[in-house]
Amino acid sequence: LNSDKQSNIISMFDDIASGYDSINSWISFGMEKIWRSKSTSLTLEYIKNSKVDTIVDVACGTGKMMVSWKKELSKSGIDYDNLYGVDPSTQMLKVAKNKLKESKFYENRADNLPFEDNTVDIISVAYGIRNIIDKEDVFKEFNRVLKKDGILLILEFVQNNKIGFIDKVKGIYIKNVIPVFGKLFSKNKDAFVYLGTSIDELPKQKIISLCNNHGFELMYLKSFNFGVSHTFISKKRSSLSDNDKKSIAKTTTKKEITIDKILSNVGYSLFITHFNDFKDIDIKSSLVMSKILKKTKYAESSLRTKISNARRIFKNGLESEALNLVIHSKKVESKHKTKAKKLLKSITN
Ligand SMILES: C[S@@+](CC[C@H](N)C(=O)[O-])C[C@H]1O[C@@H](n2cnc3c(N)ncnc32)[C@H](O)[C@@H]1O
């Protein structure tokens, strides 16, 4: 059944391919071009070298994202060997090939990428995740082909956690206005009805936990135009080696190093994304951050589980020390200090 559903989605894109580019810029009021260029240039800020080997745009469709990559790469002065596009829709690829004559394309689904393990520097997926049915398999595949520290860039329309005024307007626009546009300019009206329902089915949280559960550390999360489009930039993290695990099991002497390792493994940058005011604090206080995040329900549940596992290993070893760091830091807002004080009291009592 899932494979039928997936095939239907792909043939729907075959149907709308010829008008895709113009309808796309129309319905987003030209904003999608800006979202693409901002996201690609932000991603390139994470590239430390002056050259990368391979960038793969998955669900590349008509190649819009690849055009953006080329532009931003040349602006940033970062050189590259290969820019590949992958998409299972023959008709979408036909448009892309016309546009980007020198690039190489593969007619593949995202769960079957034609690349060796650990060979890709950057994967981008723009407005494609929603259309992929077996998301878990695809994230595994991303992890397989990306190099260590390789970057995964996702652009997507997702359902926000809280439905505010803008979301309501967006909902009306997507569900009532876009299908009319679709009917006027494309032979497949259902495709544009599908846009609305697929957004409803994909909460922001889902992408965050897919990243977390498949070995990616979320480094950057931004919503454009009041949450209409979201950008997720994450990095393939290195998993703990057997030696690391052994040293965690022992943990008596090298506590700090191990905390550092564990926290970078569970996504230290995710904290920073959420809690800018914690940016400059010693790594030790991340434990406190985790506790505060837990209390304030800011952290994702999967992350919270990992953090509490990490904390269990250390029991209350460094906790009060870390709490004191927060309490005495100039960088922390007073409301968080108050929480830290309360927590310290509950630990020491
Ligand atoms: C909304 S379009 C986005 C195209 C392009 N990335 C862009 O930003 O304009 C979604 C694309 O996902 C592709 N797609 C659908 N199912 C897929 C799958 N399982 N794996 C990879 N791509 C898929 C479709 O063929 C279509 O080209």
Side-chain angles (χ1 to χ4, degrees), residues 79-339:
D79 209 0
Y80 63 100
D81 280 338
N82 313 299
L83 174 61
Y84 297 125
V86 180
D87 199 289
S89 155
T90 317
Q91 298 306 321
M92 293 290 270
L93 281 183
K94 206 166 147 189
V95 181
K97 285 174 187 166
N98 256 329
K99 215 183 277 173
L100 295 138
K101 298 224 161 50
E102 70 292 4
S103 293
K104 189 158 182 181
F105 293 92
Y106 294 96
E107 196 173 314
N108 281 52
R109 293 187 183 182
D111 59 356
N112 178 25
L113 298 175
F115 307 104
E116 300 283 320
D117 297 1
N118 310 308
T119 53
V120 176
D121 297 276
I122 302 175
I123 288 181
S124 57
V125 198
Y127 313 107
I129 298 290
R130 251 177 314 122
N131 303 298
I132 291 168
I133 303 292
D134 293 319
K135 295 184 181 43
E136 304 284 341
D137 285 350
V138 165
F139 271 73
K140 259 184 223 152
E141 188 69 346
F142 291 164
N143 192 300
R144 180 185 71 77
V145 301
L146 275 170
K147 294 178 184 173
K148 175 182 165 293
D149 289 339
I151 292 179
L152 173 63
L153 164 65
I154 293 173
L155 272 70
E156 198 47 276
F157 299 124
V158 289
Q159 183 71 270
N160 280 312
N161 302 355
K162 284 188 208 136
I163 312 286
F165 174 71
I166 299 279
D167 297 288
K168 284 186 187 141
V169 174
K170 185 175 84 179
I172 293 169
Y173 178 69
I174 290 172
K175 288 193 184 130
N176 304 307
V177 183
I178 290 183
V180 178
F181 264 112
K183 198 173 183 177
L184 287 174
F185 298 107
S186 152
K187 54 184 173 181
N188 191 332
K189 180 188 167 215
D190 292 343
F192 295 89
V193 175
Y194 161 79
L195 176 69
T197 48
S198 64
I199 290 174
D200 280 349
E201 283 165 12
L202 185 61
K204 183 163 88 184
Q205 235 62 21
K206 174 76 183 170
I207 296 200
I208 297 174
S209 42
L210 278 165
C211 289
N212 257 317
N213 297 342
H214 290 281
F216 290 96
E217 178 184 341
L218 190 60
M219 301 191 291
Y220 189 89
L221 168 57
K222 184 172 171 60
S223 76
F224 289 106
N225 294 69
F226 308 103
V228 174
S229 180
H230 281 77
T231 291
F232 306 77
I233 303 176
S234 47
K235 183 176 80 175
K236 176 173 164 179
R237 58 180 178 235
S238 48
S239 49
L240 287 180
S241 68
D242 285 348
N243 270 345
D244 288 338
K245 284 178 196 153
K246 269 186 213 151
S247 74
I248 290 170
K250 282 189 205 151
T251 53
T252 40
T253 46
K254 291 186 180 164
K255 267 185 187 164
E256 280 174 43
I257 298 164
T258 328
I259 286 178
D260 198 346
K261 271 190 188 149
I262 289 180
L263 283 166
S264 63
N265 202 46
V266 297
Y268 178 63
S269 318
L270 187 63
F271 299 150
I272 292 176
T273 317
H274 284 282
F275 266 63
N276 273 330
D277 38 347
F278 283 112
K279 208 181 262 168
D280 297 319
I281 303 179
D282 191 289
I283 188 94
K284 278 184 249 168
S285 55
S286 309
L287 283 174
V288 184
M289 281 196 304
S290 74
K291 194 147 191 173
I292 293 172
L293 287 166
K294 227 167 131 184
K295 293 258 159 163
T296 51
K297 301 205 186 341
Y298 274 105
E300 308 307 328
S301 58
S302 64
L303 182 66
R304 266 187 265 145
T305 318
K306 285 183 189 161
I307 291 165
S308 52
N309 287 343
R311 287 189 50 241
R312 208 170 300 135
I313 298 171
F314 292 101
K315 305 245 167 47
N316 50 17
L318 289 167
E319 212 158 302
S320 48
E321 203 180 329
L323 278 165
N324 271 315
L325 266 168
V326 169
I327 293 165
H328 296 111
S329 167
K330 288 189 188 109
K331 306 264 176 193
V332 179
E333 281 176 40
S334 63
K335 62 177 178 189
H336 298 311
K337 284 190 182 181
T338 314
K339 271 187 190 148

